[in-house]
Amino acid sequence: MKTLVAITGIGLISPLGNQLDEVFAKLMDGVSGIRRLACDQTGCKPAVVGAVDFDPANWFTRLQLSGVDRVSQMAVAAATQALDDAALALPEDKEQVGVYVGCAMGGSTALDKGFQNFYQTGTRVSPLSVIASMANAPAGHISMRFGITGPSVNYSVACASSAIALGEAMRAIRNGEIRQAIAGGAEAMLLPGIINAWQSMQVLASPEGDHPEQACRPYDKTRSGLVLAEGAAFLILERLDDAMARGARIYATLDGYACRSDAAHITKPDVAGQVRTMRAAMADAGLTPQQIAYCNSHGTATQVGDVVECEALQQIWGEGTPGLQVSATKSMHGHLLGATGGLEAAITALALHHHQLPPTANCQQPDENCRVQHVFGKGVAAPQLQAAISNSFAFGGSNASLVLQAWPR
């Protein structure tokens, strides 16, 4: 019999706040955390971003902060919050615990500062630049913070990174390699050079005059692109029988995971690849499409991506996706790249726990090419909600889907 995996803790550092109840309430009200970029650096063009309000002094001493990039600082904070939320005392044998992190771009702030020192000011580059900028630094810092000696790994798979981290952590628990995992993702790359590179691809949303919070508009005819964001999201995963034995609060169970490749195009998404991924995740969970009532979609608000994902959903659930309601929460928190899958999995778990569906915000003119059952504007009650799917579709054609179920059944 397959070992069931419970989600017992969630920690967030997000553009919508750092407290679970506050974040979910804002999501249900359709409140956006997207703002105009405050930037006084040369070459910084107008942009809207999902920035977080984060003070590392709440989590690190001044001495500890030496050589710790912003991405690792937020990862440690969110992981600590998740453990506290789970009320989980780690076992004496910490080899039974794993740290699984998704981080696509690593310590961008450390790299950016190093380049500035070398090319602009001619000053000394810090010898800590390498260790601060490593993509696996967040995983290392979490492991060291809690003395965890089990697997400590990072997945760098663009926008699918933390969804894959969660899925692989679930597999490790299922297979008996570990009993508990701290799994999720972190990203911190709101820097002029990186934003400018994305602007050059012409995929970023245009600043919206006096209403930058409305810039990200998935499924709207007038959508102009995605909004880059930063943050961290971590979940505590453990064997369901262990969680029940200690009387833990269980948000949901993580029952299905699949990762598949489009093998078609480096940036353009592919309907067939997404269909394969979702079907494989549902099969892993032992569920049919008819048993899944909610999809937290990848929904980035790009012209091509939104249509492709809706076509994929229609191929599985049928024209108009009867029985499946869909929303894109990136409309409110932006796209955290490697950390997005973790944040959206957390939101999906909260939706199942509260039996409420968060909406897609800012869509005033629905695109007729995105024919699915949308949740628009504000969230809705879903008293019968039992199962949901969360999608993460990445550049490189790497797709990941997670299937979660409410608990108790």
Side-chain angles (χ1 to χ4, degrees):
M1 184 175 176
K2 184 167 64 177
T3 298
L4 294 180
V5 177
I7 298 169
T8 57
I10 299 173
L12 304 177
I13 304 294
S14 84
L16 288 165
N18 305 336
Q19 301 299 319
L20 288 185
D21 291 345
E22 172 193 1
V23 170
F24 195 71
K26 287 181 178 178
L27 287 165
M28 290 299 294
D29 286 340
V31 174
S32 171
I34 293 167
R35 300 290 182 263
R36 198 177 309 281
L37 175 66
C39 182
D40 57 4
Q41 296 187 40
T42 302
C44 185
K45 297 180 180 180
V48 285
V49 297
V52 305
D53 182 9
F54 176 71
D55 183 359
N58 293 327
W59 308 95
F60 293 84
T61 67
R62 190 175 222 172
L63 181 61
Q64 287 174 327
L65 280 172
S66 178
V68 183
D69 189 88
R70 182 174 175 83
V71 68
S72 295
Q73 296 166 15
M74 292 192 293
V76 168
T80 303
Q81 288 180 334
L83 278 170
D84 291 345
D85 185 53
L88 177 64
L90 293 176
E92 185 175 332
D93 179 8
K94 292 188 176 63
E95 199 172 342
Q96 290 295 307
V97 186
V99 177
Y100 292 75
V101 180
C103 181
M105 300 197 69
S108 300
T109 305
L111 279 177
D112 185 69
K113 186 175 181 180
F115 286 134
Q116 285 186 40
N117 289 349
F118 185 76
Y119 288 110
Q120 293 181 5
T121 65
T123 54
R124 177 175 176 264
V125 176
S126 169
L128 301 177
S129 297
V130 172
I131 59 173
S133 63
M134 299 185 307
N136 69 318
H141 282 290
I142 293 170
S143 298
M144 290 186 292
R145 176 63 63 105
F146 301 107
I148 294 169
T149 54
S152 178
V153 291
N154 180 77
Y155 297 88
S156 181
V157 198
C159 312
S161 299
S162 51
I164 290 173
L166 281 161
E168 295 299 332
M170 179 198 73
R171 282 182 176 172
I173 294 173
R174 267 190 194 170
N175 294 339
E177 299 168 26
I178 55 174
R179 297 189 77 91
Q180 298 144 338
I182 303 172
E187 206 77 86
M189 45 33 190
L190 299 183
L191 301 160
I194 291 175
I195 293 171
N196 185 256
W198 282 84
Q199 287 172 327
S200 296
M201 292 181 68
Q202 299 183 343
V203 296
L204 292 191
S206 303
E208 291 299 305
D210 295 332
H211 297 283
E213 72 279 1
Q214 298 176 8
C216 189
R217 300 187 298 278
Y219 309 122
D220 192 287
K221 285 182 180 179
T222 67
R223 64 190 183 275
S224 59
L226 61 89
V227 170
L228 291 177
E230 65 176 353
F234 280 86
L235 284 66
I236 302 303
L237 306 182
E238 54 184 305
R239 291 168 56 106
L240 179 62
D241 54 0
D242 288 350
M244 293 178 67
R246 69 180 186 87
R249 182 226 23 250
I250 297 169
Y251 286 109
T253 57
L254 179 53
D255 294 340
Y257 157 64
C259 178
R260 298 288 188 273
S261 175
D262 289 342
H265 194 278
I266 198 70
T267 57
K268 184 180 178 182
D270 178 69
V271 172
Q274 294 182 7
V275 168
R276 285 194 300 271
T277 307
M278 287 186 279
R279 286 197 184 280
M282 287 185 282
D284 187 47
L287 298 178
T288 66
Q290 291 70 35
Q291 292 173 286
I292 294 178
Y294 172 60
C295 173
N296 189 312
S297 67
H298 188 58
T300 58
T302 60
Q303 285 292 331
V304 174
D306 285 8
V307 174
V308 167
E309 186 172 8
C310 288
E311 289 179 1
L313 293 171
Q314 287 184 73
Q315 283 202 15
I316 297 173
W317 277 271
E319 179 71 22
T321 62
L324 179 76
Q325 291 183 279
V326 179
S327 68
T329 56
K330 285 186 183 71
S331 57
M332 295 171 279
H333 54 68
H335 194 347
L336 289 73
L337 300 185
T340 299
L343 177 57
E344 290 172 348
I347 292 168
T348 305
L350 291 169
L352 287 160
H353 183 63
H354 294 294
H355 292 281
Q356 295 178 322
L357 304 182
T360 299
N362 307 321
C363 185
Q364 303 298 322
Q365 304 176 58
D367 187 339
E368 60 274 11
N369 295 311
C370 298
R371 296 182 302 279
V372 297
Q373 236 187 133
H374 296 283
V375 181
F376 282 143
K378 290 186 180 293
V380 298
Q384 304 305 313
L385 180 66
Q386 285 297 313
I389 190 167
S390 180
N391 288 334
S392 298
F393 302 139
F395 279 179
S398 295
N399 304 315
S401 292
L402 301 170
V403 174
L404 295 80
Q405 290 198 72
W407 187 265
R409 300 279 194 263

